[in-house]
Structure formats: structure tokens, C-alpha cells
Amino acid sequence: MNLRDIRTIIDKNWLFPSLEDLTGTGISLLRLQNTYQITTSQMANGEIDLKFRSQKLTSDECYHIGRVAYINNDFYYALMWMQEALDRFDEKNKRALISRIDILDHLSNEGNIENALALTQEMLAIDPNHVPAKANKVYYESLINGQTLSKDQKKDSLASSEKIGSSSKKNFRVRKQRQNNYLELSEVYKALCRQNRAKLSHKRQAKLFCRYRHNNHPYLILRPVKEEQLFDEPTILLFHDVVSDTDIEQIKVLATPQ
């Protein structure tokens, strides 16, 4: 059996998650983190809910989540997850799929030139022959030398990130703030997702209701939809039993890798 035959068998019978599945999972985790305001450390430690604890993530896993965010241009969470990957990185772990340089390379894209230079210098301390790092070092130094910032401005720039660790391993904390162009509407939407009836007064809870809705549709008149009001202002409704068990099973069949 040659390599082409093996590849054909794998393509036809491969049941493990694909790269697309892995990327989709990472995007879903980032969306949950963003919507419910879960810190990167909490997610990495499996502390998603007070009643539920999952397995802690490794440095490799944190890196790959950060990589998904990076590819999707969400540099805020990319830096958060890369920092988490760096904090969990173990030089003695021979089974690691990534290197310290891989993480530092992504962290150096934060946007702060001084930090980028320090991280690049750390990369060169690990691998003096790292070609991209050598080129970046020259580039960052030229930018710094060409700056005309005042003394106070330079202090503000340096204070934007917190330096930790020893001088032999410069490790910088990335800035934990959103850029100014972050949409306020998105924040409103996520706040609605976090709402629950426990925040309502008894008087407001008493006004919530359940009903059957049909909107005068012939099919729905025979089988109206079960509607439950979860929140009054703004109105949040939950519809029960919209998809039948048969439809659910059909969707599961269609979603199964062929």
C-alpha cells in the first residue's frame, strides 16, 4: 500500500476533528469569553462556572486559542491568550508542540515599540540566528531612534505595560484594554445575554408571562409556539419546542462527517 492509498483511506474514513472544527471551537470559546466577560485565566483554569470545573488548559492549547484570535484579527484576545500561554510555558516539557519563540513572536505585535524590541531581544537570546527577529530588531531600533517623543510621553508609553520577570527573561504583560473603535452596540448586546431574572424586582418578575403564539398563521393555529418572556426592558423572549426531536436527529446526521 503506497502513500496515495493511505491518504485516500484517511480522507474517506477520517472521524477526528478537522482543522476547520478546531478553528470553529476556538472562535466559539472566544465568543463565550467575550460575551460573558470571563477572564483568560479563568477559562484556562477551567473556571467557567461556579458549579462546573473543567480540565486546565496547557500552554499549547492557550497558544492555539490565541492563534485563532490572531488569524481572525482579534488582537486583544490574541495577546491575552499568548500571555497566558507564556505564563504556562514549561521549558522542560519535551512534548510541547510550540516553542517560547513562537509565543514571543506573537506578543511582540502588541503595538508598543519598546516592548516589541525587548521581546525581540529575548527571542535572539534564545536563538541568535533567528532571521526575522534580527530584522525586526533593526527595524524597532530605527523607530525608537527616530522618535521625537517628550520625556513625559515616553514614560507614559513605557508605563502602558507592566514589566515582570528577571532581566535575563524579559516578560511583559500586555495592555488589558479594548481599542477605541470597539463597538458600543456589541457591549449592549453582550450585557443582554448576561441578564437573568434574579436581577429583576419581584414587581417586575410578576409582570412576566408565558403564552401560546400563532400570529394567525394556519400551521401555528393548529400548533402554536410556546413563548416565555424572560426580561421586560428590553424584551427577551424564549421559544420552547420549536424544533422537533426528529428534526434534531436529522440535523445531527447531516452534521456527522461523511
Side-chain angles (χ1 to χ4, degrees):
M1 182 178 294
N2 57 35
L3 182 60
R4 180 177 298 178
D5 294 333
I6 296 175
R7 185 175 299 167
T8 301
I9 293 174
I10 291 177
D11 290 340
K12 290 183 177 180
N13 300 281
W14 189 255
L15 298 178
F16 292 100
S18 64
L19 179 60
E20 183 180 355
D21 296 326
L22 180 63
T23 301
T25 301
I27 292 174
S28 298
L29 288 173
L30 291 168
R31 186 177 295 119
L32 286 173
Q33 179 183 9
N34 192 15
T35 300
Y36 294 100
Q37 296 183 340
I38 307 172
T39 67
T40 304
S41 178
Q42 285 177 317
M43 290 200 72
N45 286 325
E47 301 170 356
I48 299 178
D49 187 87
L50 294 176
K51 298 180 181 180
F52 176 77
R53 293 289 187 274
S54 63
Q55 185 175 346
K56 293 183 179 181
L57 299 181
T58 64
S59 178
D60 285 354
E61 291 166 335
C62 291
Y63 171 85
H64 286 297
I65 295 176
R67 180 67 182 164
V68 169
Y70 183 85
I71 293 174
N72 286 274
N73 297 321
D74 190 344
F75 301 114
Y76 172 78
Y77 277 117
L79 292 170
M80 294 297 103
W81 280 101
M82 289 298 171
Q83 181 66 58
E84 194 68 36
L86 184 61
D87 292 342
R88 294 167 183 265
F89 186 77
D90 184 3
E91 300 281 0
K92 299 179 181 179
N93 183 9
K94 303 301 181 181
R95 300 178 61 184
L97 301 176
I98 59 171
S99 67
R100 188 179 182 87
I101 289 181
D102 292 329
I103 304 173
L104 295 174
D105 187 31
H106 285 80
L107 284 174
S108 65
N109 292 313
E110 177 197 354
N112 183 291
I113 301 175
E114 285 83 0
N115 285 4
L117 177 59
L119 292 167
T120 302
Q121 289 173 334
E122 183 178 348
M123 292 168 61
L124 289 172
I126 299 172
D127 181 7
N129 297 319
H130 194 280
V131 177
K134 291 168 69 175
N136 288 338
K137 180 176 181 293
V138 174
Y139 174 69
Y140 294 141
E141 287 176 339
S142 66
L143 288 179
I144 293 175
N145 292 333
Q147 283 181 338
T148 57
L149 297 177
S150 67
K151 185 176 181 180
D152 291 338
Q153 286 176 318
K154 287 185 178 181
K155 286 183 178 180
D156 292 340
S157 178
L158 289 172
S160 64
S161 296
E162 177 187 359
K163 180 180 178 183
I164 62 173
S166 64
S167 58
S168 61
K169 286 190 176 181
K170 299 181 178 65
N171 185 359
F172 289 86
R173 288 285 180 182
V174 294
R175 292 170 292 180
K176 297 186 178 181
Q177 61 184 23
R178 279 289 190 183
Q179 297 180 355
N180 294 331
N181 61 354
Y182 193 64
L183 298 178
E184 293 184 4
L185 182 60
S186 177
E187 288 297 325
V188 174
Y189 147 73
K190 289 181 291 183
L192 292 179
C193 291
R194 294 191 296 270
Q195 294 286 2
N196 57 68
R197 280 173 286 183
K199 297 181 180 180
L200 293 176
S201 65
H202 292 295
K203 183 177 181 180
R204 291 177 65 186
Q205 288 187 39
K207 295 181 180 180
L208 302 181
F209 60 87
C210 296
R211 68 178 179 181
Y212 288 104
R213 177 185 286 274
H214 56 74
N215 289 345
N216 292 322
H217 190 283
Y219 176 79
L220 295 180
I221 289 177
L222 297 174
R223 188 181 179 182
V225 174
K226 302 172 185 177
E227 178 186 298
E228 177 185 1
Q229 185 180 23
L230 299 179
F231 210 75
D232 52 354
E233 294 181 3
T235 301
I236 300 178
L237 303 174
L238 173 64
F239 297 96
H240 295 269
D241 302 330
V242 175
V243 182
S244 67
D245 292 340
T246 303
D247 291 337
I248 292 174
E249 291 302 321
Q250 182 63 30
I251 293 172
K252 289 164 64 176
V253 170
L254 294 174
T256 302
Q258 302 298 320

